[in-house]
Amino acid sequence: MENQVKLTKLASCAGCGAKVGAGTLCRLLEGFDTHSDPKLLVGYDKSDDASVYAVSEELAIVQTTDFFPPIVDDPFLYGQIAATNALSDVYAMGGEPKLALNIMCIPEKMEQHTVQEILRGGYAKAYEAGAIITGGHTIHGAEPIYGLAVTGFVHPDKLWRNCGARPGDVLILTKPLGVGILTTAAKAALVEQSLLDKLYTQMSTLNKYARDVLTKYSVHACTDVTGFALLGHSLEMAQGSAVTIHLRAEAIPYHEEAYEMASMGFIPAGAYRNREFAEAHVKVLGNIPLPLQDICYDPQTSGGLLCALPEAEAKACLDELQIVAPASAIVGYVSEQLDAALYLE
């Protein structure tokens, strides 16, 4: 059944590009009184991907939520991507998703079939993840929105945080960058369908498979690269860990077509917000072209995992990762804290 109204035409921004900027978010959360609880292992104090609460010495629950406006017109695919993105935060903490609740906003123009297809896409990815969608909440509104609130499990001693990177660690990224730039250019019909299909596959690929590999290694820190871009999420890791992160520009995986589109000025608004947040903490070494810098500030929807682990384990880990996530690459390393939190070199 054909959509009467294109989903992306109903939204003013798309995917994780709709995310409130990290700098704005920090200001919004300033000054709140919060309760302390020794069983709360992770709150929002370190800008981590999810909250974690210890239930026992053997079990902790991981909780997160994520939702956004459509980044594609196909409703089933939109549901898949939104669910994949929401589930990713649990994987970034080293956990396994178990329960999920739908979060949905429906415009009056949206047909019943479209709503059902979005939900069906979400259910398909939850099923693949081994999680159960047990209900949710739906409202009417001006723009379509879909996502999940997810609860997962993790052993307290096997929890990953974004603030444990250590000097000497190597950084691995599991998905290529450029999604925000290319989906922006696609609105002007400048992106081939074959490339779009590749992006859609990437965005709807669960980070479960990368997480399953990483659990075999000594992961010191992990986060998923989404709306705050590679540089924004790397900055949070560097500041939380009190280290400096060095990103090697030539090693960063990205879609080559994104470079051309960035050169032409197809930069999503979220990239400018990310630059405003992170740029003062980034030291650019050498002659790194502006389009490549823009790719590093580009907000990713359902992006890959960025992890820090010991150098001695990096090669074996990368070899395994490339079986399930072929674009995985060693993108940098961690040093003692220097004059900048991030070096792009």
Side-chain angles (χ1 to χ4, degrees):
M1 183 175 180
E2 194 75 23
N3 282 6
Q4 296 301 311
V5 179
K6 286 191 173 183
L7 286 177
T8 54
K9 297 297 184 183
L10 294 174
S12 57
C13 45
C16 285
K19 197 169 182 175
V20 172
T24 301
L25 189 59
C26 289
R27 292 190 294 272
L28 290 173
L29 294 174
E30 283 178 356
F32 281 93
D33 291 327
T34 58
H35 294 288
S36 60
D37 187 326
K39 292 188 176 182
L40 181 65
L41 305 181
V42 182
Y44 66 77
D45 54 311
K46 293 291 186 182
S47 304
D48 223 319
D49 295 294
S51 62
V52 183
Y53 190 87
V55 177
S56 69
E57 292 183 357
E58 303 291 325
L59 179 68
I61 58 172
V62 184
Q63 285 194 313
T64 185
T65 185
D66 215 315
F67 50 87
F68 50 61
I71 193 168
V72 294
D73 289 316
D74 181 275
F76 180 76
L77 182 59
Y78 168 39
Q80 286 187 305
I81 293 170
T84 299
N85 185 70
L87 293 160
S88 180
D89 286 339
V90 175
Y91 295 127
M93 307 299 291
E96 296 182 56
K98 292 297 180 183
L99 299 171
L101 297 170
N102 287 314
I103 299 170
M104 196 171 204
C105 180
I106 304 172
E108 294 291 342
K109 295 179 181 179
M110 188 178 288
E111 298 176 353
Q112 178 179 333
H113 172 77
T114 302
V115 176
Q116 291 174 328
E117 284 296 287
I118 294 170
L119 292 172
R120 196 168 67 87
Y123 274 79
K125 280 298 163 181
Y127 181 82
E128 183 183 342
I132 306 169
I133 295 180
T134 59
H137 189 65
T138 306
I139 64 169
H140 284 292
E143 296 188 2
I145 293 172
Y146 179 65
L148 299 174
V150 186
T151 298
F153 296 160
V154 69
H155 192 290
D157 295 337
K158 297 179 180 179
L159 167 67
W160 300 337
R161 300 195 58 172
N162 71 349
C163 58
R166 305 174 189 176
D169 281 350
V170 166
L171 296 165
I172 295 178
L173 178 64
T174 65
K175 287 185 181 181
L177 306 179
V179 168
I181 290 167
L182 289 170
T183 52
T184 299
K187 295 177 182 178
L190 292 175
V191 180
E192 297 282 344
Q193 187 60 48
S194 58
L195 176 56
L196 287 176
D197 291 340
K198 188 176 178 181
L199 296 179
Y200 299 158
T201 298
Q202 175 181 317
M203 289 188 284
S204 58
T205 297
L206 293 172
N207 281 328
K208 164 184 168 55
Y209 309 104
R211 176 262 179 201
D212 290 348
V213 170
L214 290 169
T215 56
K216 304 175 186 179
Y217 296 90
S218 305
V219 173
H220 292 155
C222 188
T223 188
D224 60 341
V225 176
T226 54
F228 297 155
L230 176 61
L231 289 178
H233 289 288
S234 296
L235 175 59
E236 290 179 335
M237 184 181 287
Q239 291 179 328
S241 306
V243 297
T244 289
I245 282 178
H246 302 252
L247 294 172
R248 291 176 169 150
E250 77 283 354
I252 294 170
Y254 63 88
H255 295 281
E256 292 181 4
E257 297 86 349
Y259 189 99
E260 180 185 358
M261 294 299 111
S263 301
M264 295 169 62
F266 288 97
I267 311 296
Y272 295 105
R273 293 193 294 269
N274 290 335
R275 184 180 283 274
E276 182 182 1
F277 165 65
E279 189 171 35
H281 306 280
V282 178
K283 191 167 187 177
V284 179
L285 302 180
N287 186 27
I288 297 175
L290 182 59
L292 182 50
Q293 294 183 44
D294 287 332
I295 288 170
C296 292
Y297 284 112
D298 182 36
Q300 303 302 288
T301 297
S302 192
L305 297 179
L306 176 70
C307 65
L309 73 167
E311 183 179 9
E313 299 182 25
K315 178 61 168 60
C317 181
L318 181 63
D319 288 345
E320 277 201 76
L321 278 172
Q322 288 179 335
I323 296 171
V324 297
S328 297
I330 293 174
V331 296
Y333 64 97
V334 181
S335 75
E336 298 283 353
Q337 202 165 32
L338 302 176
D339 58 338
L342 286 178
Y343 277 49
L344 184 61
E345 52 195 48

